[in-house]
Amino acid sequence: AGVRVGWAAAHPGLLDVLKRVREPFGVTGLAFMGAAAALDDTEFYEHSRKLFLTERREFCRFLDEQKIPYVPSQGNFVLMPLGDASASLASEFAKAGIIVRRLTFKGVGMLRVSIGLPEENARMKEALQKFAALR
């Protein structure tokens, strides 16, 4: 977490507000150097992008096969509106060392699952198969 770097593209007025409320020294020197190096490593970026797109597509295909509802995503995560099962699933996943984020939208329980590396996604699929089998 100490080497995270984020960015924002926004209207100049909104950027001005963000600058006023952000933490001072939000980016460490190490994080800045890492981000600068990463921007120059186009080969790694392209490899990572292709891997991510493949993994997200495969994860959504798995959800379709298992008839597990999800919200189509363009991000690095997938939302699954699982209702009341969300809380217990999040707890069971945590016991198995799988961390998901539990959310509620308009009263519907959801899980936010980040798309990870192939082996991480495989573990998540295994855990979700158990859930699908119980329904």
Side-chain angles (χ1 to χ4, degrees), residues 34-55:
L39 289 172
D40 290 333
D41 192 348
T42 56
E43 184 178 326
F44 179 75
Y45 167 79
E46 194 56 33
H47 168 76
S48 297
R49 187 181 74 78
K50 286 179 181 175
L51 179 62
F52 163 74
L53 291 173
T54 298
E55 287 298 312

Side-chain angles (χ1 to χ4, degrees), residues 83-91 100-104 109-112:
D84 294 339
S86 296
S88 60
L89 279 173
S91 177
V100 296
R101 183 149 195 188
R102 204 178 73 164
L103 306 167
T104 303
M110 298 191 175
L111 294 182
R112 179 191 187 276

Side-chain angles (χ1 to χ4, degrees), residues 35-106:
L39 289 172
D40 290 333
D41 192 348
T42 56
E43 184 178 326
F44 179 75
Y45 167 79
E46 194 56 33
H47 168 76
S48 297
R49 187 181 74 78
K50 286 179 181 175
L51 179 62
F52 163 74
L53 291 173
T54 298
E55 287 298 312
R56 184 180 64 200
R57 184 176 54 251
E58 291 301 315
F59 188 73
C60 291
R61 184 183 339 240
F62 166 82
L63 294 174
D64 288 334
E65 290 169 359
Q66 298 296 316
K67 297 184 178 18
I68 297 172
Y70 67 95
V71 177
S73 176
Q74 293 298 308
N76 67 341
F77 62 89
V78 175
L79 287 175
M80 297 182 298
L82 302 175
D84 294 339
S86 296
S88 60
L89 279 173
S91 177
E92 289 302 311
F93 292 158
K95 289 176 190 174
I98 300 171
I99 306 302
V100 296
R101 183 149 195 188
R102 204 178 73 164
L103 306 167
T104 303
F105 180 69
K106 294 186 178 182

Side-chain angles (χ1 to χ4, degrees), residues 5-41:
V5 175
W7 63 276
H11 184 277
L14 179 58
L15 290 173
D16 183 54
V17 171
L18 288 173
K19 286 179 191 175
R20 284 186 263 145
V21 298
R22 74 174 175 83
E23 295 286 327
F25 311 112
V27 176
T28 65
L30 180 61
F32 180 82
M33 290 186 300
L39 289 172
D40 290 333
D41 192 348

